Amino acid sequence: MSSPSTPPKRPLTLRDVSEASGVSEMTVSRVLRNRGDVSDATRLKVTEAAKRLGYVPNKIAGALASQRVNLVAVIIPSLSNMVFPEVLTSINEVLDETPLQPVFGVTNYQPEKEESVLFEMLSWRPSGVIIAGLEHTDAARAMMRNADVPIVEIMDLDGDPIDAIVGVSQRRAGREMAEAIIAEGYRKIGFMGTNMPLDHRARKRFEGFSEALAKAGIEIADQEFYSGGSALVKGREMTATILKRSPDLDFLYYSNDMIGAGGLLYCLANGIDVPGQVGLAGFNGVELLNGLPKQLATMDAERHKIGRAAAEIIAARTLGQDAPQRVELTPRLQFGETLKRP
Amino acid sequence: MSSPSTPPKRPLTLRDVSEASGVSEMTVSRVLRNRGDVSDATRLKVTEAAKRLGYVPNKIAGALASQRVNLVAVIIPSLSNMVFPEVLTSINEVLDETPLQPVFGVTNYQPEKEESVLFEMLSWRPSGVIIAGLEHTDAARAMMRNADVPIVEIMDLDGDPIDAIVGVSQRRAGREMAEAIIAEGYRKIGFMGTNMPLDHRARKRFEGFSEALAKAGIEIADQEFYSGGSALVKGREMTATILKRSPDLDFLYYSNDMIGAGGLLYCLANGIDVPGQVGLAGFNGVELLNGLPKQLATMDAERHKIGRAAAEIIAARTLGQDAPQRVELTPRLQFGETLKRP
DNA sequence: GATAATTCTGTTAGCGCTATCATAGGCAAT
DNA sequence: ATTGCCTATGATAGCGCTAACAGAATTATC
């Protein structure tokens, strides 16, 4: 089971290719990177030798010598919430057309973990950083400020960015949903969400929501929080609980679509008239919703656009082109069939 | 807005910390890596200086010098199917307790993309590779064989591994599902799946499934394939289509839970008696299912265990410990409420 | 007090590549 | 020929760190 040539045990280096093709290491390097003038004849000799040997360049040495690294650090809180894989997918899409390569890190919503992941990633001297949220430890902020590469904070817009920022205003999203609900005539409003003090985006949405209600002289009539477990199940359970406790609620706002979908399924199964007796709304615009018996009202958080825009900023800045410092996307309210229209 | 000391424009090196603390670079290096004996006094001086300057070590240089890289390449086909983020999450969990750091790459189910992602990753000389599936281009296989690091192929078990392998037999999973369906007395069986010739796992499941049916003298009565779009919606649509075309079907097997859930919702909405008139089953055991009005029969693909086991193999081998070459996990059939029991 | 054993710290030489400059050859214009 | 100006290739010197060894300082042992 050996290659056409000799089975390489000691890892191959440029020198091996150089010897195999009878030209200098420098010329091999040039051929392999398509840089500088090389005659077609030598180019051929070299590529042929490299392929025959199965040479894989050592980017570590290359990066050290050239002081250039084609990696982009991407730091997100979790992979369990589909929102983040979606953002990653679109970042990937954009970077695929560039020499840049994303590297993902997950923080589990823990600031200290974020700090250590960031440190680890910066020690690879990436060409840019894309990081979720605006809340970081002081040390993390300092590291990013000192890193001297483009930093893009994504998802959220309410706060002071370190460098560039792309996202939606979570506060405004909450506010607009509240306004729509009030406009439709609902008055006894319940809220359900995750019990994650470190999910700043959910928190801000909630703040914007209650703020707008307050402005209309309304207070949240009841609320429920959950943590862990299947969101869909929790949505059912919390809905059952809250409606039992406060049967006079006429609207339920869920901090994410998954629990919203659970709530919707609960209502449908229990003969609750939606949106007549109770209106429902979630947040995020997950694809899943399209398949439900009834379209849940929601707001699209523009996750794909966020990923794309962030990656494009990094790509542009890496090439020395200038790029926007702030991209504000506006979530669209989708009424679906659970927030009645005038 | 400058640090306590001077604002670092030229990136800091060991030398800067060395000068700031009055010891040699080597000693600084030792302190920062907790290696070798260093007196408490100097240790303190150094850590203090490093922190004050905001020094971030350059792993590129470190890796080159030490010939050690703490990265593990993880290559998966997609992030859109929750299965893969789940695997990543558990890989992450395990590696979090080691000095190793996962780096993810996505292939979009394209063999050539896989090859290029692999090449790119191997050029960073990772300590190990975890890659989904057993089907790779010849060049990709050759690269992995030559890389001289642990390789773990995951998810699938039907084929020849390069090195270690962790997964479930997809063929057997399909077969067992077929046997259970037959045992329950269903005879007119329809199949619905993705139209992805490159999703080898789905293909093998289907092969195992039809093979087992054939053994019982049964042929698939009708089938539907989809590609793209929301799986839940597609599940509804395909179910409507297939039942219209073949109203005598008494069982529907879906190649994944998402379309299965769509089919279930369709049946429930249209007054079709499940599992009396029509039985249903999917594959994967996604958490989502628990929240549905009726529990869909499915098979758990053991994704978390797969991720953990793969990461553990890499971690062990990295430390020179030995580790299993083959971990066979067995998906458990969950009957739920859509595959009637004796 | 001398020697050995044990800390602790420093010196030197690369890791595998690329930037930079130097040089060899080819060819046109003078 | 001579000069100039290309194109194609090579030689040299590092990138920032760590392995390996060397040496200094300290302590232990007789």
Side-chain angles (χ1 to χ4, degrees):
Chain A
M1 186 75 53
S2 74
S3 319
S5 70
T6 54
K9 246 11 316 182
R10 173 185 52 73
L12 296 168
T13 72
L14 262 194
R15 151 159 263 113
D16 294 295
V17 183
S18 148
E19 282 167 3
S21 54
V23 299
S24 72
E25 296 179 36
M26 196 57 232
T27 301
V28 176
S29 168
R30 276 195 271 256
V31 171
L32 265 28
R33 288 177 301 144
N34 276 308
R35 203 150 308 217
D37 302 307
V38 181
S39 72
D40 289 345
T42 31
R43 179 179 304 282
L44 196 70
K45 269 194 300 189
V46 171
T47 46
E48 193 276 330
K51 184 166 299 173
R52 180 162 47 79
L53 296 176
Y55 173 68
V56 177
N58 185 331
K59 288 222 182 198
I60 295 179
L64 183 62
S66 66
Q67 303 285 305
R68 258 184 269 106
V69 181
N70 65 342
L71 301 175
V72 177
V74 180
I75 299 177
I76 53 172
S78 156
L79 282 165
S80 310
N81 184 338
M82 261 315 259
V83 169
F84 298 109
E86 285 180 31
V87 173
L88 297 185
T89 298
S90 38
I91 290 175
N92 220 11
E93 268 172 36
V94 173
L95 296 187
D96 255 2
E97 327 230 292
T98 73
L100 297 170
Q101 246 260 305
V103 180
F104 309 131
V106 177
T107 70
N108 293 318
Y109 288 100
Q110 296 164 17
E112 305 74 26
K113 186 76 204 296
E114 181 183 86
E115 187 180 314
S116 64
V117 167
L118 187 64
F119 185 81
E120 173 79 19
M121 296 214 157
L122 287 180
S123 73
W124 287 101
R125 301 288 187 269
S127 294
V129 176
I130 298 177
I131 186 167
L134 287 157
E135 285 74 20
H136 318 289
T137 65
D138 286 344
R141 302 178 73 86
M143 277 192 263
M144 288 192 270
R145 256 197 303 269
N146 289 342
D148 199 34
V149 292
I151 310 283
V152 185
E153 287 166 286
I154 59 172
M155 313 295 281
D156 191 357
L157 226 47
D158 307 312
D160 286 327
I162 294 169
D163 180 2
I165 184 168
V166 176
V168 302
S169 165
Q170 304 283 337
R171 265 210 187 78
R172 175 173 158 193
R175 215 158 52 224
E176 288 186 356
M177 182 58 91
E179 286 160 1
I181 291 168
I182 296 169
E184 296 295 333
Y186 296 105
R187 289 297 177 269
K188 300 285 289 180
I189 299 164
F191 176 84
M192 272 157 279
T194 46
N195 181 21
M196 279 205 284
L198 295 170
D199 183 346
H200 301 284
R201 287 170 289 290
R203 192 203 75 219
K204 290 175 186 174
R205 239 145 43 217
F206 180 53
E207 287 171 4
F209 186 74
S210 23
E211 192 185 302
L213 290 189
K215 198 164 288 175
I218 301 176
E219 259 189 52
I220 295 208
D222 198 354
Q223 49 193 0
E224 268 295 299
F225 295 91
Y226 79 104
S227 57
S230 159
L232 204 61
V233 176
K234 291 295 177 179
R236 297 182 85 100
E237 293 173 357
M238 288 194 293
T239 305
T241 307
I242 206 172
L243 285 179
K244 197 151 298 168
R245 191 167 58 215
S246 311
D248 57 337
L249 290 177
D250 62 4
F251 200 93
L252 301 174
Y253 179 44
Y254 298 86
S255 84
N256 71 61
D257 278 346
M258 223 42 176
I259 53 175
L264 174 59
L265 289 174
Y266 173 84
C267 290
L268 295 180
N270 290 275
I272 296 169
D273 171 28
V274 176
Q277 184 182 344
V278 179
L280 304 175
F283 183 82
N284 256 341
V286 299
E287 212 175 43
L288 165 81
L289 296 187
N290 301 324
L292 294 178
K294 221 167 201 159
Q295 280 275 109
L296 182 68
T298 190
M299 269 175 125
D300 185 342
E302 303 281 21
R303 300 176 301 289
H304 280 105
K305 282 190 194 156
I306 290 176
R308 296 196 69 83
E312 281 162 4
I313 289 176
I314 299 283
R317 297 262 296 266
T318 301
L319 298 174
Q321 301 163 1
D322 58 6
Q325 277 297 105
R326 179 187 168 91
V327 176
E328 169 154 15
L329 296 165
T330 40
R332 289 156 303 161
L333 175 55
Q334 295 160 229
F335 283 83
E337 302 160 294
T338 66
L339 211 180
K340 68 181 169 221
R341 314 193 73 163
Chain B
M1 186 74 50
S2 74
S3 321
S5 71
T6 54
K9 250 3 321 166
R10 174 184 52 72
L12 296 167
T13 72
L14 263 194
R15 153 159 261 112
D16 295 293
V17 183
S18 148
E19 283 168 4
S21 55
V23 300
S24 73
E25 297 179 35
M26 196 57 228
T27 302
V28 175
S29 168
R30 277 194 272 256
V31 171
L32 266 27
R33 287 177 300 146
N34 276 308
R35 200 145 316 207
D37 303 308
V38 180
S39 73
D40 290 345
T42 33
R43 181 179 302 283
L44 196 71
K45 271 193 300 188
V46 171
T47 46
E48 193 276 331
K51 186 168 297 172
R52 181 163 48 80
L53 297 175
Y55 173 68
V56 177
N58 185 332
K59 288 223 182 197
I60 296 178
L64 183 62
S66 67
Q67 303 285 307
R68 259 183 271 105
V69 181
N70 65 342
L71 301 175
V72 177
V74 180
I75 300 177
I76 54 171
S78 157
L79 283 166
S80 309
N81 185 339
M82 260 314 259
V83 169
F84 299 108
E86 285 180 31
V87 173
L88 296 186
T89 297
S90 39
I91 290 175
N92 220 12
E93 267 172 37
V94 174
L95 296 188
D96 255 1
E97 327 231 292
T98 74
L100 297 170
Q101 245 262 306
V103 180
F104 309 131
V106 177
T107 70
N108 293 319
Y109 287 100
Q110 296 163 17
E112 305 75 24
K113 187 77 205 296
E114 181 182 85
E115 186 180 315
S116 63
V117 167
L118 187 64
F119 184 79
E120 173 79 18
M121 297 214 156
L122 288 180
S123 73
W124 286 101
R125 301 287 186 268
S127 294
V129 176
I130 298 177
I131 187 168
L134 288 156
E135 285 74 20
H136 317 290
T137 65
D138 287 344
R141 302 178 74 85
M143 277 191 263
M144 288 191 270
R145 256 195 305 268
N146 289 343
D148 199 34
V149 292
I151 310 283
V152 184
E153 289 167 286
I154 59 171
M155 314 295 281
D156 190 358
L157 226 47
D158 307 312
D160 286 328
I162 295 169
D163 180 2
I165 184 169
V166 176
V168 302
S169 165
Q170 303 285 336
R171 267 212 185 77
R172 176 173 157 194
R175 213 157 53 223
E176 288 186 357
M177 182 58 89
E179 286 159 2
I181 292 169
I182 296 168
E184 294 296 333
Y186 296 106
R187 288 296 176 269
K188 301 283 290 180
I189 299 164
F191 177 84
M192 273 158 280
T194 46
N195 181 21
M196 280 204 286
L198 296 170
D199 183 346
H200 299 286
R201 287 170 290 290
R203 193 202 74 221
K204 290 174 186 176
R205 238 146 43 220
F206 181 53
E207 288 170 5
F209 186 74
S210 23
E211 192 185 301
L213 290 189
K215 197 163 290 175
I218 302 177
E219 258 190 52
I220 295 207
D222 198 354
Q223 48 194 356
E224 268 294 299
F225 295 91
Y226 79 104
S227 57
S230 158
L232 205 61
V233 175
K234 291 295 178 181
R236 296 183 86 100
E237 293 173 357
M238 287 194 294
T239 306
T241 307
I242 208 171
L243 286 180
K244 195 151 298 168
R245 192 168 56 215
S246 312
D248 57 337
L249 290 176
D250 64 2
F251 200 92
L252 302 174
Y253 179 44
Y254 299 84
S255 85
N256 70 62
D257 278 348
M258 222 42 176
I259 53 175
L264 174 59
L265 290 175
Y266 172 85
C267 291
L268 295 181
N270 289 276
I272 297 170
D273 171 28
V274 176
Q277 185 183 346
V278 180
L280 302 175
F283 183 82
N284 257 340
V286 298
E287 211 176 43
L288 165 80
L289 295 187
N290 301 322
L292 293 178
K294 221 168 203 159
Q295 279 275 109
L296 181 69
T298 188
M299 270 178 125
D300 186 342
E302 305 279 22
R303 301 177 299 289
H304 280 106
K305 283 190 195 157
I306 289 177
R308 296 196 69 84
E312 280 161 4
I313 289 176
I314 299 285
R317 297 263 296 266
T318 300
L319 297 175
Q321 302 164 1
D322 58 7
Q325 277 297 106
R326 178 187 169 91
V327 177
E328 169 154 15
L329 297 165
T330 40
R332 291 155 303 161
L333 176 55
Q334 296 161 228
F335 282 82
E337 303 162 292
T338 65
L339 211 181
K340 67 182 171 221
R341 314 193 72 163

